[in-house]
Amino acid sequence: MDFNGSGGGNELHNNQFYPSEESKPLLGEMSAQQLPPPEGNNNHKAGPCSKRSLLHCSSGMRYKLLQEGDIQVCVVKHPRTFLSKLLTSKFLRRWEPHHLTLTDSSLMSATPTGYMEAPLSYSTIEDLQLLSWDNAPKYCVQLSFPGGTVLLQAANSYLRDQWFHSIQWKKKIYKYRKVLNNPSRWDVVLKEIRALVDMALTSPLQDESIHQAPLHIISTLLAENTNLSAQDHENIIVAIAPLLENNHPPPDLCEFFCKHCRERPRSMVVIEVFTPVVQRILKHNMDFGKCPRLRLFTQEYILALNELNAGMEVVKKFIHSMHGPTGQCPHPRVLPNLVAVCLAAIYSCYEEFINSRDNSPSLKEIRNGCQQQSERKPPMPLRLLRPEPPTPPQTTTLSPPPALPLSPPPSIVNSSEILVELERNNNTTNTLRKAPAEGDSEPNLIDCLLVSPALNALSIQLPAHADRVLGCFALILKMLSDYDDWRPALASLLQPIPFPKEALAHAKFTKELKYVIQRFAEDPRQEVHSCLLSVRSGKDGWFQLYSPGGVACDDDGELFASMVHILMGSCYKTKKFLLSLAENKLGPCMLLALRGNQTMVEILCLMLEYNIIENKDTQLQIISTLESTQVGLRMYEQLCDRQRELKELQRKGGPTRLTLPSKSTDADLARLLSSGSFGNLENLSLAFTNVTSACAEQLIKLPSLKQLNLWSTQFGDAGLRLLSEHLACLQVLNLCETPVTDAGLLSLSSMKSLCSLNMNSTKLTADTYEDLKAKLPNLKEVDVRYTEAW
């Protein structure tokens, strides 16, 4: 049936039985703090940034917006003759079942036959109401069009109302879309936008699209009309503010907001309207990768706050408001989202340099080991520009660079040429730094940044705007590191060093970030300071970056010493960690020990005690270094005393079995073992004593120990790690009812001689149990009762 007619598009006026629209104005209480008039205009008529309360329909019912559904359809033509009036009476009406779909422009059937042979356009619907007169068909919605009426009959009153409100919504959205697609006068457009927002706020429909549809219409309008005045910007932002309280702005609207933040950062609209929007984004956004413009809008908003008179104080208050007044932030997504914004903003500061690399390897290529340095031809066009007295800079050719001078001046980079020159002279490189071995999976990140110590003073000169951006977001990272509850997650997020190599070569950036790394190094929690190390072997971490010889070290190793101190104070007092220091940082350790650093003196003593250094000349050099300071001499003499006691302890003789009384402590065990020779001790029982992981320092001195019973003690993960490195001959180990976890139990995989292992009532998981079974071939007796692996 053809529904087209001359009418359409008029405002609907429903009957007195079921009003479809609220006539009550939608302006709720005004915000206590009103917007000042815009700069240079005292006749601001846009009004304050008011919050309009959501008005509910009198019935209080809520409905989901229908997109399609099954319903009975009847079409009645307007009667003109007696015969047609008789044929259209209620006794002769014919109902057809249809599956109707509510598209953006019309109501159409999945089976276009009978009454619904042609779609019913929303523009042809003159009136929409519920049938409410006597003897009317039950649960019907009446749609009036030129020349007739369409009746839709639902199964119950709730479905009827749902169809009514859904069709009414679709019709109005269709009307607003047509009106706002062809704007003529902006005062009229602004009035229509306010009416559209009011309609969305008062609709009884509950659906994401109810608020998103008006935002998309306004977003399209703004995208097609880019020549708006600043006043029009503010008026539109104020008008749509109520919709943004519970909805993310669409991408085009984000661009509009970004433009306003850049052009008018001091506008009070930024504070009044954008603040709750950005707060909601940071609290609820799950993935900026899917909505990059939300991240960009958040970034521009923070930069706009930084442009205010108070500057970073306002930003600091905003960060504090996101964390909350308590010691624990209640919103888990805030920190990852803030870090993502900071990383993107910092990356944007160096984007011009990154884009001008030409054929230089990307950071991803370097980290993935896609190309070795020697494979790149010609030399990388990352130019090292040495400043000359006020003369024009010389052009850099692609010829191989000459040999490095002994003391090159600091290098400077401008926006058109990269500051970092990676030396491509293989002969020079080989003499300055040991070449990677064949089969290395990837080049070292710091090796890519520093080919020789002579190039450790690179500097990058950023444009003024980029410099402000860098300072702002580097300071935000500092603020984030000041919150105790955020520090573990922040350390984990920054552990892979998620910054471009241009940033790591920039002295200002590494100096700003040093505060964050220092906060990690001062935190006693292992989950925090362990993130100073690399993510996996072969990678460089912050520990390497800020160690002497690293590109970020500017303090002669003070931060390096504090990092070593905190790592040695936790579970990293192991041979593996000491071996790493001996191989890579022995020189800096000796230099700092020579200057009286107590941590480094302790490191050198442990290297001697655990026989980390095999070369005799190096051992003598370490001893000389220790004897050159008072603290070193004292600790070396204590080491010699311990070694004499150790030799006496390990001298053959003494019992083969030993059981400590219950309630014994670590001190009792140390006192007992120091009283004689225990070189023959094979079986030691500490069951039901009060010993802790600290007693592992004494246990590793027993060379013949094969059976160890720690049942119901406080022996933990740190002690297990130490035992696994020194007691490789241990065959029987009882950890029943100890506080050990997967973190410590995994270290037992290196104890290949284990035949019996009791992990009853521990925090063992099934995955760790399977891993231990695979790596311990001699394991025959295992007790995992009352664990997850049971």
Side-chain angles (χ1 to χ4, degrees):
M1 179 170 291
D2 186 8
F3 297 103
N4 295 329
S6 58
N10 299 327
E11 284 293 328
L12 304 180
H13 299 284
N14 296 299
N15 59 30
Q16 58 182 345
F17 299 99
Y18 201 101
S20 63
E21 299 182 50
E22 296 281 353
S23 58
K24 185 177 179 180
L26 282 172
L27 290 178
E29 295 183 359
M30 294 291 188
S31 173
Q33 183 178 5
Q34 297 189 353
L35 288 176
E39 302 165 7
N41 185 1
N42 296 326
N43 299 322
H44 181 46
K45 296 181 181 179
C49 180
S50 58
K51 292 185 178 180
R52 282 167 255 189
S53 59
L54 187 71
L55 297 181
H56 302 290
C57 290
S58 57
S59 64
M61 294 292 290
R62 285 288 176 264
Y63 310 93
K64 182 175 177 61
L65 178 64
L66 279 174
Q67 301 295 341
E68 58 181 339
D70 295 319
I71 198 166
Q72 297 288 325
V73 181
C74 179
V75 176
V76 180
K77 286 294 208 174
H78 288 175
R80 289 186 176 83
T81 64
F82 176 77
L83 179 59
S84 62
K85 190 172 184 179
L86 178 65
L87 292 175
T88 57
S89 66
K90 66 178 180 178
F91 301 105
L92 298 177
R93 287 185 192 137
R94 177 170 57 89
W95 294 88
E96 294 179 353
H98 282 275
H99 184 85
L100 299 185
T101 301
L102 282 72
T103 67
D104 290 338
S105 59
S106 63
L107 189 66
M108 61 185 300
S109 173
T111 55
T113 58
Y115 291 143
M116 299 302 298
E117 183 176 1
L120 177 59
S121 174
Y122 299 134
S123 61
T124 63
I125 299 177
E126 297 176 341
D127 194 13
L128 175 67
Q129 60 185 10
L130 302 175
L131 290 188
S132 54
W133 59 77
D134 294 338
N135 299 323
K138 294 182 67 176
Y139 314 134
C140 276
V141 180
Q142 176 181 334
L143 283 68
S144 300
F145 65 94
T149 299
V150 176
L151 300 179
L152 304 179
Q153 188 175 40
N156 52 56
S157 61
Y158 182 85
L159 283 177
R160 175 201 63 190
D161 294 347
Q162 189 178 15
W163 276 97
F164 171 79
H165 290 296
S166 298
I167 295 173
Q168 185 183 60
W169 170 262
K170 289 284 188 176
K171 172 178 168 56
K172 290 187 176 182
I173 284 294
Y174 175 78
K175 183 201 78 169
Y176 281 115
R177 188 176 285 113
K178 287 188 65 177
V179 170
L180 295 178
N181 276 349
N182 299 290
S184 54
R185 293 171 48 196
W186 277 102
D187 54 341
V188 176
V189 169
L190 186 61
K191 182 179 179 181
E192 293 292 342
I193 289 176
R194 288 172 178 158
L196 176 61
V197 171
D198 292 347
M199 181 190 73
L201 293 175
T202 55
S203 174
L205 296 172
Q206 276 191 332
D207 193 89
E208 183 181 356
S209 62
I210 297 303
H211 288 170
Q212 285 296 324
L215 290 176
H216 280 288
I217 292 174
I218 298 168
S219 177
T220 303
L221 170 69
L222 296 173
E224 295 175 353
N225 298 271
T226 58
N227 298 324
L228 298 179
S229 66
Q231 185 62 60
D232 291 331
H233 278 200
E234 292 201 357
N235 291 342
I236 293 174
I237 292 171
V238 171
I240 64 177
L243 289 181
L244 298 173
E245 292 179 6
N246 297 307
N247 298 274
H248 290 340
D252 290 338
L253 207 54
C254 284
E255 285 194 1
F256 175 71
F257 291 166
C258 289
K259 181 180 178 183
H260 189 80
C261 287
R262 286 191 294 266
E263 294 179 354
R264 307 198 71 194
R266 294 174 177 269
S267 167
M268 285 304 294
V269 168
V270 174
I271 301 292
E272 292 280 333
V273 180
F274 290 167
T275 297
V277 179
V278 173
Q279 287 177 335
R280 187 180 189 280
I281 291 173
L282 291 174
K283 289 177 182 178
H284 301 289
N285 178 66
M286 297 302 293
D287 185 6
F288 275 132
K290 296 179 180 178
C291 339
R293 295 184 188 176
L294 288 179
R295 189 208 69 232
L296 184 61
F297 168 48
T298 306
Q299 177 181 327
E300 294 293 345
Y301 165 79
I302 293 175
L303 290 175
L305 294 185
N306 192 38
E307 292 294 325
L308 299 177
N309 291 336
M312 286 309 299
E313 284 300 318
V314 181
V315 176
K316 188 173 183 178
K317 290 180 181 178
F318 173 73
I319 298 298
H320 182 71
S321 72
M322 295 308 306
H323 178 274
T326 61
Q328 191 75 23
C329 178
H331 304 286
R333 292 300 309 166
V334 168
L335 177 66
N337 285 334
L338 279 172
V339 172
V341 171
C342 291
L343 294 181
I346 292 171
Y347 183 90
S348 69
C349 296
Y350 302 94
E351 194 166 9
E352 189 175 354
F353 296 97
I354 295 171
N355 293 338
S356 61
R357 290 177 188 169
D358 296 335
N359 69 331
S360 62
S362 66
L363 185 62
K364 182 178 180 181
E365 289 176 330
I366 290 176
R367 288 182 174 174
N368 294 335
C370 295
Q371 300 186 16
Q372 299 292 336
Q373 291 186 9
S374 58
E375 296 176 355
R376 287 206 170 255
K377 297 178 181 180
M380 287 179 59
L382 303 181
R383 299 178 176 87
L384 179 65
L385 299 182
R386 297 183 172 85
E388 301 289 342
T391 56
Q394 299 178 356
T395 58
T396 306
T397 64
L398 292 177
S399 59
L404 291 175
L406 293 178
S407 302
S411 47
I412 298 178
V413 178
N414 57 27
S415 60
S416 61
E417 294 181 305
I418 292 291
L419 288 116
V420 186
E421 168 74 23
L422 297 187
E423 195 62 63
R424 291 303 183 190
N425 190 318
N426 288 334
N427 295 330
T428 305
T429 302
N430 291 335
T431 59
L432 294 175
R433 186 175 294 268
K434 185 178 179 181
E438 295 262 350
D440 279 355
S441 60
E442 53 188 305
N444 187 284
L445 174 60
I446 295 178
D447 287 345
C448 293
L449 290 170
L450 274 186
V451 177
S452 72
L455 291 178
N456 63 357
L458 299 175
S459 60
I460 290 181
Q461 183 178 353
L462 294 177
H465 175 71
D467 196 63
R468 288 196 302 272
V469 173
L470 179 66
C472 175
F473 287 96
L475 191 56
I476 290 178
L477 289 177
K478 291 182 183 180
M479 296 176 194
L480 300 181
S481 68
D482 285 332
Y483 291 95
D484 289 339
D485 60 316
W486 275 352
R487 204 174 298 132
L490 178 63
S492 178
L493 290 169
L494 297 185
Q495 185 179 12
I497 312 185
F499 301 101
K501 61 178 181 286
E502 285 78 8
L504 301 178
H506 189 192
K508 178 180 178 179
F509 173 73
T510 53
K511 187 175 181 179
E512 292 285 344
L513 203 64
K514 181 180 177 181
Y515 177 86
V516 179
I517 305 305
Q518 198 149 14
R519 296 292 286 167
F520 295 163
E522 294 169 354
D523 197 299
R525 291 171 291 183
Q526 181 191 337
E527 58 182 326
V528 177
H529 59 247
S530 63
C531 293
L532 296 170
L533 299 175
S534 57
V535 179
R536 59 182 183 272
S537 59
K539 292 283 187 180
D540 282 317
W542 296 112
F543 180 74
Q544 289 80 10
L545 201 67
Y546 280 90
S547 62
V551 292
C553 183
D554 61 353
D555 57 2
D556 294 329
E558 293 180 9
L559 177 57
F560 171 71
S562 66
M563 288 191 289
V564 172
H565 176 76
I566 193 70
L567 291 172
M568 289 298 295
S570 63
C571 62
Y572 291 93
K573 197 172 185 178
T574 62
K575 279 187 175 180
K576 184 178 179 181
F577 184 61
L578 291 172
L579 279 169
S580 174
L581 288 178
E583 291 175 0
N584 304 307
K585 301 297 176 185
L586 182 58
C589 289
M590 293 176 63
L591 178 61
L592 291 171
L594 192 63
R595 295 174 178 174
N597 186 283
Q598 187 168 346
T599 300
M600 293 305 162
V601 170
E602 182 184 354
I603 290 289
L604 295 182
C605 289
L606 285 171
M607 288 181 180
L608 293 176
E609 184 175 359
Y610 293 162
N611 295 319
I612 300 296
I613 306 297
E614 297 180 357
N615 186 282
K616 296 298 181 182
D617 292 335
T618 307
Q619 289 180 0
L620 292 174
Q621 187 178 355
I622 291 176
I623 293 172
S624 300
T625 302
L626 292 173
E627 291 177 337
S628 62
T629 61
Q630 291 185 355
V631 63
L633 180 60
R634 185 179 70 254
M635 295 186 72
Y636 179 63
E637 290 174 349
Q638 294 173 356
L639 170 62
C640 293
D641 292 340
R642 288 199 305 271
Q643 290 290 341
R644 282 191 290 269
E645 294 174 0
L646 179 61
K647 288 181 180 179
E648 179 63 26
L649 175 67
Q650 293 179 342
R651 186 169 57 83
K652 291 298 180 180
T656 58
R657 300 175 65 89
L658 181 64
T659 301
L660 253 68
S662 61
K663 308 299 182 183
S664 298
T665 64
D666 295 329
D668 297 328
L669 176 63
R671 192 177 302 112
L672 176 64
L673 293 181
S674 65
S675 64
S677 299
F678 290 90
N680 291 339
L681 187 62
E682 296 181 355
N683 188 322
L684 176 61
S685 175
L686 303 176
F688 305 104
T689 64
N690 294 331
V691 298
T692 66
S693 294
C695 76
E697 295 282 354
Q698 305 299 325
L699 298 178
I700 62 176
K701 299 175 183 178
L702 302 172
S704 302
L705 192 63
K706 295 180 180 179
Q707 300 180 28
L708 179 60
N709 187 351
L710 295 167
W711 187 1
S712 191
T713 64
Q714 293 303 309
F715 198 86
D717 294 336
L720 277 186
R721 290 191 183 94
L722 202 55
L723 293 184
S724 66
E725 291 209 347
H726 295 271
L727 296 180
C729 296
L730 198 65
Q731 297 176 1
V732 179
L733 180 59
N734 188 344
L735 298 171
C736 179
E737 297 181 9
T738 57
V740 294
T741 66
D742 285 348
L745 292 170
L746 281 172
S747 64
L748 298 179
S749 59
S750 62
M751 305 177 74
K752 304 299 182 183
S753 299
L754 273 179
C755 300
S756 175
L757 181 59
N758 189 339
M759 297 176 285
N760 187 322
S761 303
T762 63
K763 296 179 181 179
L764 172 72
T765 63
D767 291 341
T768 299
Y769 177 51
E770 294 299 326
D771 187 70
L772 288 175
K773 286 197 301 181
K775 293 181 179 179
L776 297 176
N778 296 321
L779 195 61
K780 298 176 182 178
E781 297 180 7
V782 185
D783 188 348
V784 293
R785 289 175 295 172
Y786 307 107
T787 67
E788 183 185 310
W790 188 26

